[in-house]
Amino acid sequence: MPIFQALEKAVDQSPPTLTKLLKKFTLPDGSLLAKDELVTAYTQLAGTHDLAPFSEQVIKQLRMKPIRTLSGVTPVTVLTKPFPCPGKCIFCPSDVRMPKSYLSDEPGAQRAERNWFDPYLQTSNRLQALTNIGHSVDKIELIVLGGTWSYYPAAYQVWFIKECFRALNDFGIKTDQTAVEAQYEAMSYQLKQMQLHAPTADPATNQQNLKSAKINGENITQTYNQVVSELYVKPEKLGGFDQYQTAAWAELVAEQKRNETAKSRCTGLVVETRPDCIDEDEVLRIRRLGCTKVQLGFQSLDDEVLRLNKRGHGVKEIRQAVKLLRLAGFKIHAHWMANLYGSSVAKDKADYVKLFADPDFRPDELKIYPCSLIQSAELMQYFKSGKWQPYSREELLEVISFCLENTPPYCRLTRVVRDIPSTDIVTGNKTTNFRQLAESFLSSQGKSSQDIRAREIRSTKFDSARTLIEEINYQTSVGQEIFIQVVNQNKIIGFLRLSLPHEATFVDELKDSAVIREIHIYGQAQDIGKTELDKAQHFGFGTQLIERAKILAAQAGFKKLAVISAIGTREYYRKKGFSDGELYQHLVI
Ligand code: SF4
């Protein structure tokens, strides 16, 4: 009980003080009470035991990581199951408990493993955890990570996405107690299925098998693909597990339809894949799944570096993949790596310049991952033989600050340095807040990054009368791109990406259309239909941006405007006058 009284007092305190307070109330095993448990307890006990009645303010102040939803939507990341990957990249971790490239002690990966990599359970439990800590789960960006998406069996992909949508839809009807019960029943059914079809019935044996199957990058006797096929894929086939993880397109379409008006709507769907897995059919297929953005591993724009790192594709494939995705209106979220085998500080800088100087690339979003040395990666052999070594702190700072400084304002640097647990890094940089270090370094020289993330309005209040609409024009491999942004004193409140293609597209539905590739309004994610004064979302900026896009498209000679809408934004665009096509929505201008 004292914890709850202390909690009341803590309401006006900052998060570090709250952590201090929690340390005074450790659990019997010495661990701290999880903050989401604290919020749940507060929700249940407010108004009883001498506690004040429930207050939104309390929840707001207890919200642990408001930054997570300050980008306007709430991200929910789910991982696919461990499965072979066509890549043989020497820097890639081979943790056989995980889908390729992920490590079992990364927090997101642990969540996925706890949920048996089941999409329904992962999504449901994440929504619940986010709700418990006070986040809005009305607008969800669903990020599907793990290995190479396009390499998973087609039926698995349809099932995976269908289950994510089903979880969003079921969660939305939570206020009805019967629905809540049905949801948990459905979850335990899933769990039972997972247990029934696990590699062996005994979890201890599974653990042991996985431990002994650990891959040592210095002396690889079996590849990730071989071990994973043996441990998961083969038994699945024998046990019929893969038959259970399958769904028809019609089932997915039904869940998508439900999601259009669900409480938790999918406002963005992202998958990650390799450039050489992208062709016209694949682009259309991922669009049918409801995808709006693709994370694409560029890693380098130097053929020799790609070859040395055994990427299995060259720069030509990257150019082609970007072009096809652009022609279909997708947003492109690239991954680029520094410090790869065969590169250098000077080469990295030149490569980064090419990323934005060449119209064939110019990604919308970017993750910068300096190469880290992981024990299970083949790179260990190159390190041991002295062929490769990690950059010194000074070299890394030079590259990262150069990247920050040279990122154009239409690109969002979503991550700088991968958040790998330091215990997994054999040697090299273990600092995960490298972005801050590089920003401070730049600032000491009177410079700064102008990328989107550095300028986001977040929870800052602003004077709506002093906002401006600005446009940035640039060329891409398919035509002209206009980045229309709403700004207030160099802070970005929202933006729209308008594509004015001059290349003929293979997507019938988009022929002769200008395409809205993205609309994003920043600020704390708001419940659908709720307006909080001075905060960016629901301020009518979306409408202003669409109106401007109509004018610009018409001026460029287009008579039609299409949008690559996410399933959960279809209603929004219908209200703005767009009509449904097969995979896109359209407006005559
Ligand atoms: S394609 Fe991606 S996941 Fe596959 S091995 Fe290469 S880096 Fe790893």
Side-chain angles (χ1 to χ4, degrees):
M1 199 51 227
I3 178 73
F4 301 118
Q5 271 131 12
L7 169 63
E8 261 198 336
K9 285 190 200 144
V11 160
D12 294 325
Q13 295 170 7
S14 57
T17 321
L18 187 66
T19 309
K20 226 172 174 183
L21 180 143
L22 287 176
K23 286 184 181 159
K24 290 188 192 156
F25 299 96
T26 52
L27 294 168
D29 64 356
S31 62
L32 296 186
L33 200 63
K35 287 182 193 171
D36 68 324
E37 290 171 331
L38 199 61
V39 177
T40 308
Y42 171 76
T43 312
Q44 284 170 3
L45 292 167
T48 67
H49 302 74
D50 296 332
L51 288 174
F54 178 85
S55 126
E56 285 273 357
Q57 194 55 23
V58 175
I59 295 293
K60 216 173 195 176
Q61 298 209 32
L62 285 172
R63 187 178 286 165
M64 287 170 293
K65 293 181 181 169
I67 200 114
R68 192 178 283 137
T69 47
L70 283 177
S71 289
V73 290
T74 305
V76 167
T77 302
V78 289
L79 259 68
T80 48
K81 64 183 176 180
F83 195 76
C85 173
K88 295 184 174 59
C89 316
I90 62 169
F91 49 80
C92 186
S94 290
D95 186 333
V96 297
R97 287 165 60 177
M98 290 292 131
K100 187 72 169 126
S101 97
Y102 289 86
L103 293 158
S104 48
D105 47 6
E106 292 176 290
Q110 287 179 342
R111 279 199 297 270
E113 197 182 20
R114 277 201 301 275
N115 287 297
W116 304 72
F117 297 99
D118 182 82
Y120 187 96
L121 293 173
Q122 289 185 69
T123 312
S124 264
N125 286 329
R126 195 71 192 127
L127 291 176
Q128 190 60 60
L130 287 164
T131 305
N132 287 352
I133 55 175
H135 289 291
S136 164
V137 292
D138 275 24
K139 289 184 273 178
I140 299 295
E141 182 177 48
L142 196 61
I143 305 167
V144 182
L145 299 180
T148 296
W149 171 260
S150 310
Y151 200 62
Y152 282 80
Y156 173 82
Q157 295 180 19
V158 176
W159 170 79
F160 194 95
I161 302 295
K162 187 263 292 179
E163 286 296 286
C164 290
F165 272 111
R166 193 166 71 82
L168 288 174
N169 297 339
D170 286 357
F171 201 81
I173 48 173
K174 243 186 126 220
T175 40
D176 174 344
Q177 192 51 35
T178 340
V180 179
E181 279 159 21
Q183 180 184 333
Y184 280 100
E185 220 165 84
M187 282 169 74
S188 55
Y189 167 77
Q190 299 274 348
L191 203 54
K192 218 164 155 190
Q193 292 295 315
M194 300 296 293
Q195 281 159 344
L196 272 176
H197 296 100
T200 76
D202 176 20
T205 313
N206 288 338
Q207 273 300 335
Q208 195 46 47
N209 284 346
L210 287 168
K211 266 197 189 130
S212 55
K214 209 169 176 178
I215 290 173
N216 178 3
E218 284 177 62
N219 178 24
I220 299 173
T221 50
Q222 266 191 313
T223 64
Y224 170 93
N225 285 0
Q226 286 166 335
V227 176
V228 160
S229 300
E230 193 59 38
L231 281 175
Y232 304 96
V233 182
K234 209 168 139 200
E236 278 185 22
K237 280 181 185 153
L238 293 175
F241 191 16
D242 50 354
Q243 281 174 31
Y244 150 67
Q245 292 180 333
T246 179
W249 281 100
E251 293 174 75
L252 169 61
V253 170
E255 292 298 341
Q256 288 177 335
K257 194 80 203 145
R258 273 180 79 201
N259 193 254
E260 287 180 7
T261 51
K263 188 160 186 309
S264 289
R265 290 184 208 170
C266 177
T267 58
L269 176 55
V270 192
V271 295
E272 64 174 341
T273 195
R274 288 167 54 90
D276 56 347
C277 286
I278 292 291
D279 58 20
E280 291 182 2
D281 288 345
E282 178 63 0
V283 170
L284 292 174
R285 222 173 48 81
I286 54 178
R287 180 63 199 133
R288 272 181 85 192
L289 291 170
C291 286
T292 50
K293 188 193 299 180
V294 173
Q295 291 200 21
L296 204 58
F298 290 15
Q299 318 310 5
S300 170
L301 299 176
D302 181 322
D303 274 322
E304 181 60 4
V305 172
L306 291 172
R307 188 189 65 77
L308 286 171
N309 287 272
K310 302 188 184 170
R311 274 292 291 175
H313 68 78
V315 179
K316 195 173 110 221
E317 286 76 11
I318 302 176
R319 290 184 196 277
Q320 178 66 359
V322 172
K323 187 172 183 173
L324 293 178
L325 288 165
R326 274 195 193 284
L327 284 171
F330 278 93
K331 287 169 283 288
I332 293 139
H333 187 172
H335 298 183
W336 178 85
M337 295 181 76
N339 198 189
L340 282 171
Y341 171 50
S343 193
S344 64
V345 169
K347 279 189 184 176
D348 280 348
K349 287 181 174 178
D351 212 64
Y352 200 81
V353 168
K354 207 194 293 176
L355 198 54
F356 295 104
D358 190 327
D360 282 3
F361 308 118
R362 299 186 170 167
D364 304 303
E365 295 183 29
L366 183 67
K367 282 181 182 167
I368 300 175
Y369 286 157
C371 189
S372 294
L373 185 62
I374 309 293
Q375 185 67 44
S376 61
E378 193 184 335
L379 188 65
M380 277 301 292
Q381 295 168 21
Y382 295 72
F383 173 66
K384 289 280 171 184
S385 64
K387 287 185 185 165
W388 176 89
Q389 59 178 21
Y391 284 163
S392 67
R393 199 173 171 79
E394 290 68 34
E395 287 171 321
L396 190 58
L397 188 61
E398 185 179 340
V399 173
I400 298 297
S401 46
F402 180 87
C403 294
L404 288 185
E405 194 189 344
N406 288 283
T407 306
Y410 60 78
C411 178
R412 183 173 195 264
L413 280 180
T414 51
R415 190 168 275 282
V416 172
V417 178
R418 188 170 158 189
D419 194 5
I420 297 175
S422 59
T423 43
D424 285 319
I425 299 174
V426 180
T427 181
N429 172 59
K430 297 188 180 183
T431 310
T432 50
N433 72 336
F434 218 89
R435 182 187 189 122
Q436 279 164 271
L437 296 182
E439 278 172 347
S440 308
F441 176 72
L442 278 183
S443 154
S444 71
Q445 299 184 329
K447 300 172 183 168
S448 64
S449 173
Q450 285 305 304
D451 86 285
I452 294 174
R453 194 166 181 273
R455 298 183 295 126
E456 285 167 6
I457 189 92
R458 306 201 169 197
S459 57
T460 313
K461 297 211 167 192
F462 61 90
D463 178 357
S464 58
R466 295 182 61 197
T467 57
L468 296 171
I469 290 196
E470 292 175 352
E471 285 145 25
I472 300 171
N473 281 265
Y474 58 100
Q475 291 297 315
T476 68
S477 49
V478 307
Q480 192 189 357
E481 184 81 20
I482 309 181
F483 181 78
I484 315 169
Q485 54 178 352
V486 183
V487 289
N488 181 282
Q489 295 181 334
N490 200 36
K491 287 284 172 206
I492 184 162
I493 295 165
F495 66 84
L496 182 150
R497 296 185 191 275
L498 177 66
S499 171
L500 304 172
H502 54 56
E503 281 266 327
T505 178
F506 62 96
V507 186
D508 288 343
E509 224 185 308
L510 294 182
K511 290 226 159 83
D512 305 321
S513 265
V515 184
I516 294 177
R517 296 193 303 120
E518 180 175 20
I519 298 184
H520 199 114
I521 309 297
Y522 284 102
Q524 190 87 46
Q526 301 269 300
D527 286 351
I528 293 165
K530 210 172 174 182
T531 306
E532 212 178 311
L533 217 57
D534 296 335
K535 296 277 177 63
Q537 291 209 327
H538 304 302
F539 225 97
F541 292 124
T543 309
Q544 285 181 37
L545 286 165
I546 293 172
E547 289 307 314
R548 186 65 194 145
K550 277 160 58 176
I551 293 168
L552 291 169
Q555 282 172 353
F558 288 88
K559 298 203 165 36
K560 293 184 289 177
L561 182 63
V563 60
I564 179 164
S565 43
I567 302 298
T569 60
R570 283 178 177 168
E571 275 291 288
Y572 172 83
Y573 287 107
R574 281 175 197 137
K575 284 184 189 145
K576 301 287 172 206
F578 286 76
S579 57
D580 294 357
E582 198 191 338
L583 299 174
Y584 300 81
Q585 288 177 291
H586 306 270
L587 188 74
V588 177
I589 47 177

